[in-house]
């Protein structure tokens, strides 16, 4: 498919700086995860960690569980083993809170159940779970639900990436970042992915 036939890429290319990132990194997608609960666990593991550290700890976490996370598996897992995998006591608590919420109402947080809800409503519902903050909820919108127009300015890499790409690394206010991202609408999740790709390259 030609870029002109792709509404995402043709929209992003209206911003010349973003067009250069599209050329550099090729097509990036915002495909929802196969398993919403497992993806939420990944976001909790990733909280306040570098990409490399988070990936290593997530791998050990999955090993402890004997496979991809399920609510029952997380609730049954030995706390000492989870701590030895590199999870803090706080994160173990958060993972168990999320597991309990999904176990008690397994449909409440699925793509199907949330399909008609606004992003703001989804964030409100998720952040009622202790351990799920605004950043984690926005990661859920992008990676678990596949929402296309999310701008997670609570993410340090997004802010640093926008500053690097658009302002030679000099500081920008969040209002200025929102203004920059206006031209990416209604595909700000994709623009965010390109900013991450550039920041991590």
């Amino acid at each position: 498919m030609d870029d002109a036939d792709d509404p995402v890429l043709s929209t992003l290319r209206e911003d010349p700086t973003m067009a250069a990132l599209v050329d550099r990194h090729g097509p990036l997608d915002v495909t929802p995860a196969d398993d919403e609960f497992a993806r939420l666990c990944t976001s909790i593991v990733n909280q306040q960690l570098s990409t490399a550290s988070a990936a290593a700890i997530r791998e050990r976490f999955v090993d402890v569980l004997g496979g991809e996370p399920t609510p029952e598996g997380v609730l049954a897992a030995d706390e000492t083993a989870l701590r030895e995998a590199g999870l803090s006591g706080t994160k173990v608590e958060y993972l168990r809170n999320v597991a309990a919420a999904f176990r008690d109402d397994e449909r409440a947080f699925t793509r199907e159940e949330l399909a008609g809800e606004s992003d703001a409503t989804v964030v409100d519902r998720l952040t009622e779970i202790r351990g799920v903050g605004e950043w984690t909820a926005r990661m859920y919108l992008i990676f678990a639900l596949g929402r296309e127009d999310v701008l997670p300015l609570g993410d340090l890499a997004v802010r640093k990436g926008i500053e690097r790409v658009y302002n030679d690394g000099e500081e920008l206010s969040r209002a200025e970042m929102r203004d920059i991202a206006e031209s990416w609408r209604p595909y700000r999740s994709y623009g965010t992915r390109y900013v991450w790709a550039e920041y991590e390259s």
Side-chain angles (χ1 to χ4, degrees):
M1 178 169 33
D2 188 275
D3 280 6
D5 299 326
D6 183 325
V8 174
L9 294 183
S10 59
T11 298
L12 294 181
R13 283 188 180 284
E14 291 174 15
D15 170 350
T17 304
M18 182 58 67
L21 299 189
V22 171
D23 288 339
R24 191 170 303 141
H25 298 287
L28 297 176
D29 61 19
V30 178
T31 303
D34 292 331
D35 184 310
E36 295 97 329
F37 175 73
R39 190 61 192 71
L40 183 54
C41 288
T42 295
S43 289
I44 290 173
V45 170
N46 290 356
Q47 288 173 357
Q48 299 176 317
L49 290 176
S50 70
T51 304
S53 297
I57 292 171
R58 186 188 182 283
E59 195 172 310
R60 295 196 294 269
F61 168 56
V62 170
D63 284 346
V64 169
L65 299 179
E68 284 298 307
T70 64
E72 296 74 18
V74 170
L75 290 168
D78 179 71
E79 180 166 356
T80 302
L82 292 173
R83 295 290 300 273
E84 287 172 353
L87 294 163
S88 66
T90 303
K91 283 193 181 176
V92 171
E93 179 199 340
Y94 291 173
L95 287 163
R96 289 189 163 160
N97 291 344
V98 165
F102 272 71
R103 178 201 60 196
D104 294 345
D105 191 349
E106 61 182 320
R107 285 186 45 78
F109 304 104
T110 60
R111 279 187 294 284
E112 293 76 15
E113 190 71 16
L114 296 171
E117 303 289 358
S118 70
D119 291 351
T121 300
V122 174
V123 169
D124 286 346
R125 283 178 57 177
L126 281 167
T127 53
E128 287 174 5
I129 305 170
R130 178 170 155 71
V132 178
E134 181 103 3
W135 177 85
T136 304
R138 292 194 181 282
M139 295 303 105
Y140 193 81
L141 286 171
I142 297 173
F143 293 110
L145 304 184
R147 298 285 177 100
E148 294 188 322
D149 195 33
V150 180
L151 181 67
L153 292 180
D155 187 87
L156 180 63
V158 172
R159 298 198 306 277
K160 292 291 187 189
I162 291 173
E163 288 170 347
R164 179 190 295 177
V165 173
Y166 286 88
N167 205 39
D168 294 326
E170 296 298 314
E171 192 171 328
L172 291 166
S173 70
R174 293 196 189 199
E176 288 169 323
M177 293 180 194
R178 277 190 283 273
D179 287 344
I180 286 167
E182 272 302 301
S183 65
W184 311 345
R185 282 183 184 272
Y187 302 113
R188 290 180 298 172
S189 300
Y190 290 86
T192 295
R193 288 221 55 203
Y194 281 101
V195 168
W196 268 321
E198 183 68 10
Y199 181 74
E200 292 175 358
S201 64

